[in-house]
Amino acid sequence: MGLSTTEIMDLSLELVDWDTIPGDSTIYVPGEDIETALVGIDLESPEIQLAAQEGYDLALAHHPTGDRARLEFTAVLEKQISFMTAHGVPEDVASAAAKGLIDRMDHAAHSMNFRHDPSIAELLGQPYMNIHLAPDEIGRRMMDEVADSLADDASVGDLVDAFYAEFDEFQDAQTEIKTRLGDAENELGTVAVHHAAGTNGGADVARAYFEHGVDTVVYIHIGPGDTQTLREEFQDSGKNLVITGHIASDAIGLNVLIDTLEAHGVECTPISGCTIGR
């Protein structure tokens, strides 16, 4: 007997010792006795149809596409605040730094056709779900452990080298780890790995970290406008912003989830970014 979609979701929660499904993760079409899964970072209408055509028991996406996972996405963004306060940013400052991002995402939810992909899966009778926050949290913890393992006098370049040495995903990626602010020779100092909070925090969140004792912020992606703002404000300050790459970073936690599913008898076919590091 294979697993149910509920059991698969529960497995993802067990990996991070959570007991509540995050707002960005949803079972759109439930399934039972799942023995095969098409797994990808982005699985939308075409991939759902592919899964049905090829006879997969489940289409398992990482990124949310609709329903609750989009409408409740802003609740996940509250983790932006808790990550900042854990690194010494006062709560009122952290809340203010995250407010713009949360407002933008709240507005964006009203423009989305969040029933599109789930309705395709329903029409085809194709079990379909997404698991977003738990794999990202796995990746964040693993990157945080690498940062914590470095010597007190480590440089930014030492962190980048350690990421490459530790993670096949970064070695295999077509993107490179970039230091968008600062320099490889800069002292690493206090590090905040800001991942697994829905999305990156942009310039506002990085600024809050920099102004309250964090020397190096690690994002998995950032926009060019935010990079330029931070360069104008913090160039030559000794502060550093390291960008590890979106898909490669997501693949770290997803590979742990895929390995766990396969250990429980679910044969996984990785596509759409999930082949990185495998």
Side-chain angles (χ1 to χ4, degrees), residues 121-140:
E122 289 167 359
L123 182 63
L124 294 171
Q126 173 62 55
Y128 177 47
M129 65 190 297
N130 90 281
I131 302 176
H132 189 227
L133 195 63
D136 282 354
E137 175 65 11
I138 293 167
R140 184 193 70 82

Side-chain angles (χ1 to χ4, degrees), residues 7 53 67 111 157 225 231 275:
E7 289 170 328
Q53 174 186 308
D67 292 292
S111 68
R231 286 174 176 169
T275 57

